[in-house]
Structures are given as C-alpha cells and as structure tokens.
Amino acid sequence: MGLFNRLDQTVIETSVRGTELLEAPLLNKGTAFTAQERSTLRLDGLLPCRVETMQDQLDRAKITYNKQTTDLRRHVYLRSLQDNNETLFYAFLQQHLTSVLPIIYTPTVGKACQLFSEIYRKPRGLFISHDLIDSIDQMLANVPQDIKVIVVTDGERILGLGDLGIGGIGISIGKLSLYTAIGGIDPYTTLPVTLDAGTNNQELLDDPNYLGHRYNRLDEERYYQMTDAFIAAVKRRWPKVLLQFEDFAITHASPLLARYQDQLCCFNDDIQGTASVTLGTILAAAQRANVPFKDMRVTIVGAGSAGSGIAETIIQAKVAQGATEANARAQIFMVDRLGLVLDNQPDLYPFQQALAHPVSITKTWGTTGERADLLQVVEHAKPHAIVGVCGQPGIFTEAVMKQMAKNHSQPIIMPLSNPTARAEAIPEDVLNWTEGKALVATGSPFNPVKIGETEHVIAQCNNTYIFPGIGLGVLAAKASRISENMLQAAALELSQISNGDFSPGDSLLPPLEDLAVVSHKIAVAVAKQAIADGYSKLESSDAAIEQAIEAIYWRPKYQKTLAS
C-alpha cells in the first residue's frame, strides 16, 4: 500500500502514526486533524488542542509570510511550508497565486538556486551522479510513488545565471509546484531530479558549503553514460512518465531531446515550452497589430537552443497557415553576440545552420562590416517583432526601439530573458522610446507603465502559461509522446484565449489569476491533438476529454484520514 491508499476522493487510509505522520508532508494536516483522527492516529498531545480549518491555517500562514522581509526569505518560508504540509502549501499558492508566483518561481527562484546549499533544509527529489549510475534503479525504488511527471536538470544553464551545479534542482522543484498549483497534477506523482555532472563554476567549487560533487563537469562520454543510464532506469520503472528537460546548456539541450524523444514521452521546456508560449504571444500580438502572421518578419536575439526553438516553431506555424518553408525561413532573422547569423560561420550547430541567412544578404543591404549588427538588422529587415532570449541586459537599445517604432505603427517587443536583471530591456524604457506604440511582453513580471493617459499592462510571456496545461493534457489523454503538433495546438489555444475584447494598453496575455483556466483549455487542446496524432487512445469527444481531465485533477483539500 505504501505511505497511504486513497479510498475515494475524500478518504485516505495510512499505516503511519504519530510523529512519523506529522513529518509526512503529503499526509500532514497539522492542527486541522480532527479529535477523532488525533485519537486513532496517535496524535494526542503532539498538537495544540485547537482544531483549525484550512482557512484558519491559511490566514496564519499569510501573516507569517507577510512578516518575511525579503523575497528570498519569502521563498524559503514557502519551501518550508511545502516540506511540512503539502496540501496547505498548494492551497496557499492558489489563494495568492499572482503575488507568490514571482516568489516560488521566477525571478526569486534564481537567487534560491544560487544559494541552494546555504538555504538547504530538507531533502526533496533525487540527486544522481556518474559514480552511482549502476545504482539508479535502486535510487528510483527509494521513491515509492507512482511517478507521472519528472522535471530533470543538470544545472548548467539556470535561467540567465549560468552553471549553478546541483542548485538547479530548485528550478525542478519550482516547475513541479506550478504543475500542481496551476495544472492540477497530484504532487504525490511528481519528482524533481538533478543530474550532478559536476560544475565549472569556480565559486561553487571553492565554496565549503557546496553540497554537490567538487569536480569540473564530466566529459561527453561520461556525461552521456549518465543520461543514458538515467533514461533507461526511468523507462524500466515508469515507462509512461512525462519527463521534462529543464535548463540544459546549448551543447546538450537539443542533442538530449533528439536522443530520447522517441524513447519516452518527453520535451524540453526551454526549447519547446518557450517556443510555444512565444508563438502564442506573437499570434495574439499580430492580431492586435493587424498584421497577417503569415507575412510577419521576426528578429530573434539569442541564437541558442531557446531562440532556435522559437524560430523553428514560428516557421512551422507559418507553413501551417500557407507559407512556403523557404519564405517562412527568410522572414526569421537570428542575431547572436556578433550580429546576424550567416551561413559562412564555421562554428554553427546544425540547428543554427538551418536558420542562417546567406552571407550575400549584407551586401544586398549595403551594410558595413561582414556581420550586420542588431540595429542594422532592424533597419533593413524591418521586423514586425523582436524577441530577446540572450540574457544581455540593455541590448534592446533606444536606437533599436526607435527604429522599430519608425518601421511599424505597433512594433512587438519581447525581452524574455530571466531573471529580471537579465531582461534585454525594461518595459518603461521601451514604451517611452516608442511613444507608447509598442506591444510589450516580458519573461519576468513588471509593473504596468503609464504613457500619457494609457496604462500599459505588461504581459509576462512565461512558460507558466504553457507547460502545466501540456502536462495535464498529456496525462489525461495518456499520451505516449509529445508531438510538435501538440505544442502548436497549445500555442494556438493560448492566442485564442488572449484575443477576446481588448482596449489599448491591455495585456497581450490573460491575467495570471486565470492561469488555471488557461491551463485547462490548453489541456483540452493538447489532448485533442494527441488523439489526432495517434498518440492517445482516448475518445475524441469533448465530454470524454473533460471526464479524463477531471478524473486525474488534484485539488488541495484535506481528506478524512483513517488508520489502516
């Protein structure tokens, strides 16, 4: 039976008693245990005499939360609440989602990852290293749950902060928290994992408190020995699991996805999730700006795995709307730290080569120098949208923004890098430089900006709009794979949700407090596409899909606890 057995949606039974029960976060109700439960589960005397409701506990938790003096302290408090009482933690997240989202996830989670070894309190998730690859089956057996969703990272490229070693598991924990709080995924079926491949961060190697392996990152042979062993063990124990790759460096992100995407149901959120939410936002912005998406030109600043994933997703969407692939590719302009990506560059990865423009384009433009810089690209290509995923603050300069506004009446400006300090531009600057013309979306949260009489609400184009719904749809449909069509369906659904009635200054995306509703609609769209693609045997009717979603949907409510 394991830790507990659900008799139905309101009753569970468990064999654990006393302090052991109070230390089990998925079973602990703290002061909400009833008098009868306290007697039968040997809790008498271990709790204060007052029996509280969940709302009583939430009110006390809010008071304590408000007393924390920094965002990092608020993050640590929420993590301690999660480690003590998981149900209450998720109820708190849902009740205060808009205000706590930046605390439990980006941007504060970046600081928490940097200080992971310092703020570490209780174990959560699995830490797998090369020297233990022969024991991975036993490690997975140490996790008794029926795992349905895994988020795995190797910590090499955390947000825009770089190599944080095992501290990257904070991202996995944060993502899974949102799978549950927004997507309704049962937390008992989720598992955060970090692959401890070492670190090249000298500060961590020199830090006496660092909890990971103190050696430089593994060479390629040993690295893939470890990932192969991990994937093989996961397939043996949980062959139908949904596995999300998170924050892997450019050298491994695309190769890992290509290596394993046909072996189990997996996706890379930085490549595919970011691409999907960006596409959804651009589709919404195109309608606002009255620009046919098929004809849109887009500049992407940052030619790594995330930027290239966005480009390929936009190209696929354009082709689906009737464009030829050649024309769609010609409308995408990738810019790296040296300028426009050209096909004569010797150091391009294959996925970058497919997006490179011929070197002759700069001669056609009459630009000086072999590589056109960002301003020259904007002057000559006249993109309708500019997307930043390079983590270089300030690269969207005043000159670039003014040129965008000169080219188009409503330029689409998307500085998406996280955390906030890594954003390519600040929305207030962008709107001032464009005289309020720009349609702006960012990766991190920003306050509204008032230009003249119009208040501009800044959309947060964050994967949070996408991955919880993808997870819910995949699990409800019992999909065996995640197809590009399913990701496109998620983006299209997001754009349709976003484009109801709107006024000048309105956000390009739905408000954060509607994320659960958005995720539900995306889950339906993803499930339908999984069925159409042949990756699910679920009946395709709306009623069958809704029933499948409701059957697995988890809500943070206390259940009556019985002794087994």
Side-chain angles (χ1 to χ4, degrees), residues 410-424:
Q410 287 188 289
I412 300 161
I413 312 297
M414 300 175 64
L416 300 185
S417 290
N418 288 316
T420 309
R422 298 286 182 172
E424 288 78 9

Side-chain angles (χ1 to χ4, degrees), residues 324-340:
T324 65
E325 182 173 344
N327 283 342
R329 290 189 179 277
Q331 293 169 337
I332 304 296
F333 300 86
M334 306 299 296
V335 174
D336 64 14
R337 62 187 179 84
L338 297 177
L340 180 67

Side-chain angles (χ1 to χ4, degrees), residues 282 296-301 374 378 383-388 395-396 400-401 404 411-416 441:
I282 289 177
M296 281 188 70
R297 296 180 297 279
V298 181
T299 291
I300 300 174
V301 184
L374 177 57
V378 171
H384 300 86
I386 182 169
V387 179
I395 197 169
F396 288 4
V400 170
M401 295 297 96
M404 289 289 295
I412 300 161
I413 312 297
M414 300 175 64
L416 300 185

Side-chain angles (χ1 to χ4, degrees), residues 343-539:
D343 60 5
N344 67 338
Q345 293 175 232
D347 55 347
L348 295 179
Y349 292 97
F351 64 84
Q352 295 171 318
Q353 189 70 40
L355 297 165
H357 276 268
V359 69
S360 59
I361 193 171
T362 55
K363 296 178 181 179
T364 302
W365 289 350
T367 58
T368 57
E370 185 177 346
R371 302 278 299 278
D373 62 24
L374 177 57
L375 180 57
Q376 291 171 323
V377 171
V378 171
E379 287 174 341
H380 295 279
K382 293 181 169 54
H384 300 86
I386 182 169
V387 179
V389 285
C390 66
Q392 296 298 313
I395 197 169
F396 288 4
T397 63
E398 181 176 359
V400 170
M401 295 297 96
K402 286 186 173 180
Q403 186 64 46
M404 289 289 295
K406 180 180 178 181
N407 294 342
H408 304 289
S409 60
Q410 287 188 289
I412 300 161
I413 312 297
M414 300 175 64
L416 300 185
S417 290
N418 288 316
T420 309
R422 298 286 182 172
E424 288 78 9
I426 303 301
E428 183 176 6
D429 290 338
V430 170
L431 286 161
N432 279 319
W433 292 335
T434 62
E435 299 179 345
K437 295 179 181 180
L439 299 174
V440 183
T442 59
S444 289
F446 284 92
N447 291 328
V449 177
K450 192 166 185 178
I451 304 293
E453 298 302 314
T454 302
E455 183 174 76
H456 297 260
V457 180
I458 309 303
Q460 187 180 351
C461 177
N462 190 284
N463 300 19
T464 306
Y465 278 98
I466 288 289
F467 71 81
I470 290 176
L472 180 60
V474 165
L475 295 190
K478 298 181 179 179
S480 59
R481 295 291 184 271
I482 296 178
S483 67
E484 290 300 324
N485 287 338
M486 292 159 68
L487 297 164
Q488 292 268 332
L492 182 60
E493 184 66 24
L494 177 60
S495 72
Q496 292 173 344
I497 297 169
S498 303
N499 269 325
D501 295 330
F502 55 85
S503 302
D506 283 355
S507 172
L508 289 171
L509 295 172
L512 293 174
E513 55 263 31
D514 292 345
L515 276 173
V517 175
V518 171
S519 293
H520 184 100
K521 291 181 178 180
I522 287 175
V524 173
V526 167
K528 285 183 177 180
Q529 192 62 53
I531 296 166
D533 288 348
Y535 292 126
S536 170
K537 297 180 180 179
L538 183 66
E539 182 187 333

Side-chain angles (χ1 to χ4, degrees), residues 113 150 185 193 203 326 394 408 512:
C113 290
I150 295 173
I185 307 300
V193 175
E203 288 187 17
H408 304 289
L512 293 174

